[in-house]
Structures are given as structure tokens and as C-alpha cells.
Amino acid sequence: MVTQIVRTAILSYQSNGPQVFAYLPVRRKWQRETLLGWLQNRLMTTSKRVQDRSTTKRVQDLEIVTEKWKIVSKVKAVMEILNEEPETIIPVRNLERHRIKINLPKPHKISDFLRKSPKLFELYKDQRGVLWCGMTKGAEDLVEEEGRLIEEHSDKVAEYVTRCLMMSVDRRLRLDKIANFRRDFGLPVDFRDKWVHRYPELFKVVKLVDEVSYLELVSWNPDWAITQLEKRVLGVNESSNHQPGMLSLSFPLRFPSNYKKVYRHREKIDHFQKRSYLSPYADAKGLTAGSLEFDKRAVAIMHELLSFTLEKRLVTDHLTHFRKEFVMPQKLMRLLLKHMGIFYVSERGKRFSVFLTEAYEGQELIEKCPLVVWKEKLLSLVGYREKKKKILTFGDLSDLEDSGLIESSSEHENISMHFGREDTMVGVEDALLADNDEMNIGEFGLAGWNSEKS
């Protein structure tokens, strides 16, 4: 019988590649169980890659959320670039050098991308035929509103950055790594040059031997050494006598509605939930990598970091940059997939995103800060249901002014774009969704979006 199973496995290996018998030489496992039992367990083992994840483990609502925020990210990047220009206008050809920041890969044209959002961007050709881009009055108002909201959020994000420093093993983090969290935390664009110096009582910028800039903790605040989970489960608030140590808390779980195999893993889940672990704010230098306490503490750190973000979501690449500083395992993605009830990993686009599942009810974030509401307002202005006409040139505008049809007092106000009605959109997602996406934009439920695939 064993010989037959081995022969079957070898034949399967020859036809399907090294996915079945890759770990056959592990003799340590053979000593603990029979060859037959080991083969059966190995053949039933599923891959740890996100791409090979079962469809029953996918959360369609969160995949749609990922898609929406990708669009907002592209539009917001263009607005930031324009806002840095002296007159908030720029030749469209100069935007080519910002393609990576906009995350709009070739062959998609930036001019086509801008035309998809006439409520936010205006296009105009000058006397030499050069195409320029600027923001509409509505977009400029949104930029001003975001600036006010970021300023109001500044003290709170300073607390979150300080708590990140308190969780790090050396009480310092590289400034360029914190930059990865800028949009997720709600940090201002100039946080490296100005914002980091606004709170000298909390942290300071230092340069070590390698001449790399670090943000270093200045003073420990015991009131902030309390995790979000402790506040929610135990009701612990600010306490000057609080000392971080061992915890034994259960994480909120939320599985996909179509995932029916939770009961099979109930015993393992209960065992994990009851396990004690070291607080993310406690000294973790003595922890042994790979131990049970080590893994649960890593889950607690990721839970804490995601709780700090605006959308309770992070790009997984940004998390992996802090494995050493936060004493987390090398195979961080495997840990995220293993605890799918706590986290959800979306594979949309070129980089994966991880969600805190407890923070969402369907596609909606349960607790929305003002900056998230602002992003939703921005998203509502993206896209259109009109057919574009030609872009007005300097001569066209002059004729209109002579006819008294328009009035203009500045060059900036001359930037305009006219559209005619049409029943359907003209390839909106061709430019807005440039990451080989396959999702139907009509699923967003947003007015003005085409429901057809491009």
C-alpha cells in the first residue's frame, strides 16, 4: 500500500512539477510518524502563497475597497504634484517623470488619465500647442480642506509615531522607513523637513555612523504603552503606573461569510487565542524566534500598527521593512495568511495590502476619521459620463472672450476643458486602473462609473 502511494506521488510529481514532493527528504518527520501518514498530510498541505489561496477565503468586499483606494491614490498623487508647482499648473509632458509616484505604468497615457476626471483636473493648450494641466476650483478647495484636516490630526499622528518608536527594539526607526507610512498615518508631505521637529519632547532626528537619519524616542510615555486591544477588551485607559508585560487577550475574529471550514480549525484557533504573549511595548530582546509566544506577539504588533492607520490597511511591503526593528518573523506573509480571521491580505495590483478585518463591515470602515471621509469625497468626483470634445487652445479662448462668453482675470483661470453628453463612459478604467486589474468597476456602486469591462 505504501509502495503504491509513493508511486502515485512520484507520478504526480513528474506531471505537476515540484509542488508535491518538495519536502520528502525531511527525515525528522518520518521518525515521528509513519511514512503513510506523512505522505497523506503532505499531499493535503496547501500553498502559503496568496495567489494560490482558495476562493472561499477571499473577501470580495475588501477586494473592492482595495480597488477604490488604488484609484484615490493615483488621483491624490497628481494633486500633490500640482500643489507643489508655483502656479499649481504643469505641462503634461513633465508629469512623465512622476509616473512611478502616480503609479501609472506605460502604455497608459497621463493625458488620458487626467481627462477621466474633469471635475478635478483641467487641460489647456498654450500658443505653442503644449498641453498644460491644472486643478479645478473644486480640487483646490479639497486640497485646502485636506491641509486643515492633516493639521488637526497632527497631534494624534505624533502619538502614533511615538508609540511605534516605543515598540521598536532600539527605540529608534529610520526616517525613510517611516516615510512609507506617511499616507497611511496621515502625515504631511513635509514631515521629514518640518513636522519631525515640531515635537521635540517626543522624538528627535539623529544620524548614526552610517549617516542615515533616524527618528529616536526622547521620553517614554507610560500612558501610551497600552495597546488598542487592551483598551477595547479590558477597558484600560491612561495609567501612569502601567508597566507593559505578559498579556493573555483574544483577538477579534471575522471570517469570510462563504468560508465553511472554520469549525475544522476551532481547536487550534482557541489554543492560539488563549496563549499568553509579551506586550508589543515590552522589551522583546530575550524572545526566541519561532516560539509560540514570538508568533503571537508578532500578530499583536501588526494588529497595533494597523490600528494606527487611517483605513486600517497597510501595504505588506511596508510591514516587512520593520521585521528587525519590531522583532517579527522573516516569513511575515505566511503569518498573515495563517491568521486570516484577524487579517485579510488582498492581492489586487502589484503589491499586496493587509486589512484589519474587525475594522470593516462589508465595504464600509466602521470608524471613519475625517481624513477618510475626505478621501471618499474625492473618490465621488472621479470619473464622468460625458464624451470629450477637443481641448481648447489659446486662440479658442481669445475668441470666446471677445464674444463675451467667458471672463478671465488670470492665466490660471484660462485652463478649461469642455465636454458633451454621451450615454456611456469612454474607457475610464483604462487609465484609472492601470495595474492589470480585472474587477468590474460597476461593483463600487459609484455614480459615473462604467459597469463594462475594458
Side-chain angles (χ1 to χ4, degrees), residues 165-383:
L165 296 174
M166 292 167 63
M167 286 192 293
S168 63
V169 65
D170 294 322
R171 308 296 185 247
R172 72 170 69 97
L173 295 171
R174 284 182 55 159
L175 204 57
D176 57 350
K177 289 187 177 183
I178 300 177
N180 294 327
F181 289 162
R182 182 179 69 81
R183 292 183 179 179
D184 302 303
F185 280 17
L187 287 163
V189 177
D190 61 349
F191 90 99
R192 291 196 199 193
D193 302 324
K194 298 179 180 179
W195 186 86
V196 291
H197 303 291
R198 289 177 55 180
Y199 301 91
E201 72 281 4
L202 299 178
F203 40 71
K204 62 180 179 180
V205 178
V206 296
K207 286 189 177 182
L208 302 183
V209 181
D210 53 5
E211 290 299 317
V212 177
S213 296
Y214 287 78
L215 198 62
E216 187 175 74
L217 183 70
V218 171
S219 61
W220 179 276
N221 189 339
D223 295 340
W224 292 348
I226 305 173
T227 64
Q228 299 295 102
L229 193 61
E230 287 180 86
K231 295 178 181 179
R232 182 176 303 177
V233 176
L234 301 180
V236 179
N237 293 317
E238 295 182 356
S239 174
S240 58
N241 297 323
H242 178 77
Q243 293 293 330
M246 295 298 294
L247 299 173
S248 183
L249 300 175
S250 298
F251 293 94
L253 300 175
R254 181 167 294 181
F255 292 93
S257 58
N258 60 335
Y259 186 63
K260 307 300 183 182
K261 299 181 181 180
V262 179
Y263 68 92
R264 295 186 183 181
H265 309 288
R266 179 58 61 188
E267 184 177 350
K268 292 182 178 179
I269 293 174
D270 291 342
H271 181 70
F272 172 81
Q273 294 282 50
K274 295 176 182 178
R275 186 184 305 160
S276 299
Y277 63 96
L278 193 63
S279 170
Y281 297 100
D283 188 3
K285 293 182 179 179
L287 276 182
T288 303
S291 63
L292 299 178
E293 295 78 10
F294 181 85
D295 286 348
K296 189 166 184 180
R297 179 184 177 275
V299 170
I301 287 179
M302 290 185 286
H303 185 281
E304 191 77 349
L305 287 174
L306 287 169
S307 299
F308 296 162
T309 61
L310 301 176
E311 302 156 14
K312 308 301 181 273
R313 178 184 69 94
L314 277 174
V315 176
T316 55
D317 291 350
H318 297 169
L319 280 173
T320 56
H321 292 163
F322 292 93
R323 287 177 297 197
K324 181 179 178 181
E325 290 85 346
F326 292 144
V327 193
M328 295 193 294
Q330 289 294 319
K331 297 181 179 179
L332 198 58
M333 179 63 73
R334 180 168 296 186
L335 196 65
L336 293 172
L337 293 176
K338 181 179 179 181
H339 299 284
M340 57 174 292
I342 305 173
F343 311 109
Y344 177 74
V345 180
S346 170
E347 57 185 287
R348 304 301 300 178
K350 296 181 179 179
R351 296 191 297 179
F352 298 157
S353 298
V354 55
F355 287 83
L356 191 61
T357 57
E358 67 186 79
Y360 281 83
E361 187 67 47
Q363 300 178 28
E364 295 296 322
L365 193 61
I366 297 175
E367 297 180 4
K368 299 179 182 180
C369 72
L371 282 170
V372 174
V373 177
W374 178 89
K375 286 187 176 183
E376 292 179 343
K377 186 188 301 184
L378 176 65
L379 184 64
S380 67
L381 298 177
V382 175

Side-chain angles (χ1 to χ4, degrees), residues 141-153:
D141 292 342
L142 281 175
V143 171
E144 293 181 4
E145 181 183 356
E146 185 194 23
R148 292 194 301 269
L149 294 176
I150 288 178
E151 183 64 27
E152 294 171 2
H153 186 66

Side-chain angles (χ1 to χ4, degrees), residues 392 396-409 413-414 416 418:
L392 295 182
D396 297 329
L397 292 174
S398 298
D399 293 340
L400 290 174
E401 288 178 348
D402 294 339
S403 302
L405 296 179
I406 62 173
E407 296 181 358
S408 176
S409 59
E413 292 176 353
N414 283 339
S416 64
H418 284 234

Side-chain angles (χ1 to χ4, degrees), residues 130-146:
V130 177
L131 185 62
W132 290 73
C133 172
M135 287 187 287
T136 64
K137 181 62 168 60
E140 291 176 348
D141 292 342
L142 281 175
V143 171
E144 293 181 4
E145 181 183 356
E146 185 194 23

